[in-house]
Amino acid sequence: MENKKIPSFAFGVVAIILGWTLVKHFDFEDFSFQKPLLDALYLIVFVFSIYALIKNKKNRAEK
């Protein structure tokens, strides 16, 4: 069974949007987020999208 190709463009857009949102929601004076639970979810999806991009790049380099 073949490995499915991960759509890089979609995960790249998601990573950019969520990264920018996390920066906007972060308070640098108090080192806290405005909406902690929502921002935790954003952080989880952001990390997964970066992981998917790195995994896809690694698979392309092996071929």
Side-chain angles (χ1 to χ4, degrees), residues 3-57:
N3 291 337
K4 293 185 179 182
K5 185 177 180 183
I6 300 173
S8 296
F9 181 74
F11 279 112
V13 170
V14 168
I16 290 170
I17 291 171
L18 289 178
W20 181 250
T21 303
L22 285 169
V23 168
K24 285 182 9 183
H25 283 193
F26 189 71
D27 183 15
F28 288 99
E29 292 178 3
D30 297 335
F31 294 109
S32 63
F33 287 104
Q34 291 176 358
K35 302 174 183 176
L37 293 177
L38 184 61
D39 291 330
L41 178 64
Y42 287 165
L43 184 64
I44 291 168
V45 176
F46 176 74
V47 169
F48 175 75
S49 64
I50 296 296
Y51 170 76
L53 287 171
I54 292 171
K55 184 177 178 183
N56 192 20
K57 180 119 177 150

